[in-house]
Amino acid sequence: MTDQHRITAAISAVAGERASVRVDGEGRVGVVLDATGLGQAERDALEQRIRVAAGVADLRIVVTAARVERRLIAVASGKGGVGKSTLAANLAIALMRGGRRVGLVDADIYGPSQPRLMGVEGTRPTARDKRLDPVPTPSGVPLLSIGQLVEPGKAIAWRGPMTAGALSQLVDADWGAVDTLVVDLPPGTGDVQITMIQKHRPAGAVIVSTPQDLALIDAARAIDLFRTAGVPIIGLVENMAGYACPRCGELSDPFGQGGAEAAAKALDIPFLGRVPLEIGIRTASDAGQPPALREDRVFAPIAAQIAEWLATN
Ligand SMILES: Nc1ncnc2c1ncn2[C@@H]1O[C@H](COP(=O)(O)OP(=O)(O)OP(=O)(O)O)[C@@H](O)[C@H]1O
Ligand SMILES: [Mg+2]
C-alpha cells in the first residue's frame, strides 16, 4: 500500500464519509471534513482523531458544514400555571422518542422551571467562543434555561434588551444536530413572546389551556398574538382535564370539561388532545423525572400530531 493509500484508509476509518482526502503533487495531505450537525466539541474531537490517524505533520483540514435547519416550537399560554412547562418538557421527550433530534429552551425569565423538571437543577452550561453548550439531561433532551444563567433564588428583573440578548444566547447556542427546539415561554403576551416571534420566528405554536373559561379567554389572546405575527398555531392542548381520585377512582372535573375542545373549534384551530389532572404527573415532575419517560399514553399521541404537522408544514 502506498503512503497515500494508507493515510486515506486511516482517515476514512475514523471519519467515514465525512472526510474526503486529497494529496497534492508534493505529497501534502488535505482533508475536507463535513461537520454538518456536529457540535463544536464533537468537531474538535473528530479533527483530533483524523490528525492522529493520518500520522503526518503537515495536514490541512478544512471544515465545512451545511446548516442544520432547526425549527422552533413555542409552547405558550395566556394564563400562568396551566402546565406549559410540564407540557414542554414531556412533549420534547415524546418528540425525541418519536425520532426527532430535540432540544429544550426554557425562556421563562420570571420563573424558569425546566432545570428542576428535567432533573439538572444546579448544573451550569459551559461556553466556548462565547457560545453556550446545552446541558445534557437524563432524558436525552439537551436543555438551556434562563435559570442556568442567573444565581438561583435571585429575582430576575431584566429590561427588554437584556431579555432579548439572553434569549438569543439560548436559541443560538451550539445545538449541534438538534433539528427541533421546543421553547417553554412565560405566560402572557409580553416582551419574551414578542422577541421570540420577531427574532427567532417559531415554526409554530402550541397553546396550553385548562378547561376553565377564564384560561380559555386568555388562551385566545395568546393565539391572537401568534396569528397576528404570522406564526401558525399547531393546536391547543387541554391540561388538567378531569381528575381521577387516587383513593376511590371517582372521576370529577374540577375545571369543567370539554371547554378547550369547543374553544379550539370556535377559534378554528386544531385540538391536539387532553392531559388529565393526575397527582403522578406532579410528583414525577417535581422529582425531575418527566412522566413521558415512562409508559406514555398521554404525551406521545400529542407529540405525534406535532411531528405530523412539522412534516407537512
Ligand atoms: N396534568 C397535570 N396533573 C397534575 N399536575 C400538573 C399537571 N400539569 C401541571 N401540573 C402541576 O401544576 C403546576 C404548574 O404547572 P407548570 O409549571 O407546568 O405550569 P406553567 O404554565 O408552566 O406555569 P407558569 O405560568 O408559572 O410558567 C406544577 O406544579 C405542575 O407539576
Ligand atoms: Mg412554566
Side-chain angles (χ1 to χ4, degrees):
M1 214 195 269
T2 63
D3 231 24
Q4 190 174 325
H5 281 125
R6 182 197 61 75
I7 292 170
T8 307
I11 292 175
S12 323
V14 293
E17 292 187 349
R18 285 192 182 271
S20 52
V21 184
R22 312 228 187 297
V23 182
D24 70 10
E26 283 138 54
R28 277 187 304 247
V29 185
V31 177
V32 178
L33 177 64
D34 178 4
T36 302
L38 299 183
Q40 190 62 47
E42 293 165 300
R43 278 183 199 197
D44 292 352
L46 186 54
E47 232 187 286
Q48 188 53 31
R49 283 205 298 279
I50 290 173
R51 288 189 186 282
V52 171
V56 289
D58 188 13
L59 181 68
R60 221 170 93 81
I61 300 181
V62 178
V63 182
T64 63
R67 233 183 124 77
V68 175
E69 200 212 347
R70 188 165 299 136
R71 301 175 84 196
L72 268 59
I73 300 172
V75 178
S77 75
K79 193 173 173 300
V82 297
K84 283 176 300 304
S85 301
T86 307
L87 249 312
N90 287 287
L91 289 179
I93 292 167
L95 281 165
M96 177 193 70
R97 290 179 126 194
R100 302 190 75 87
R101 295 165 186 244
V102 185
L104 181 59
V105 167
D106 180 1
D108 191 341
I109 58 171
Y110 311 109
S113 46
Q114 293 300 348
R116 185 165 75 160
L117 286 173
M118 297 298 275
V120 289
E121 216 171 3
T123 312
R124 295 210 157 230
T126 51
R128 55 163 68 216
D129 301 333
K130 297 199 174 150
R131 264 181 112 197
L132 290 175
D133 260 333
V135 171
T137 72
S139 68
V141 173
L143 167 71
L144 279 177
S145 166
I146 290 264
Q148 295 162 332
L149 306 182
V150 294
E151 288 295 315
K154 284 254 164 71
I156 307 177
W158 287 346
R159 295 184 188 282
M162 276 179 82
T163 306
L167 283 181
S168 293
Q169 280 206 47
L170 304 184
V171 173
D172 300 329
D174 192 358
W175 287 102
V178 163
D179 57 26
T180 310
L181 264 190
V182 175
V183 184
D184 179 14
L185 289 172
T189 52
D191 259 3
V192 173
Q193 286 78 358
I194 288 163
T195 304
M196 192 49 75
I197 288 171
Q198 291 179 346
K199 257 184 108 174
H200 303 291
R201 301 298 315 164
V206 172
I207 310 293
V208 186
S209 180
T210 59
Q212 279 165 296
D213 288 347
L214 270 180
L216 285 163
I217 291 168
D218 288 337
R221 202 171 299 131
I223 290 165
D224 186 55
L225 175 80
F226 285 100
R227 268 193 174 156
T228 308
V231 175
I233 306 293
I234 302 174
L236 181 70
V237 175
E238 183 176 67
N239 187 30
M240 309 191 189
Y243 175 68
C245 170
R247 278 184 298 275
C248 67
E250 193 195 341
L251 282 169
S252 53
D253 290 299
F255 300 126
Q257 200 198 28
E261 189 164 10
K265 204 164 188 180
L267 293 162
D268 198 22
I269 60 171
F271 182 68
L272 299 176
R274 33 177 73 91
V275 176
L277 179 65
E278 250 181 55
I279 288 179
I281 293 183
R282 192 189 58 73
T283 49
S285 301
D286 283 351
Q289 288 161 352
L293 284 172
R294 302 190 308 250
E295 191 195 336
D296 169 24
R297 291 198 203 100
V298 174
F299 302 101
I302 299 173
Q305 290 179 73
I306 296 171
E308 170 75 21
W309 186 92
L310 283 169
T312 48
N313 281 274

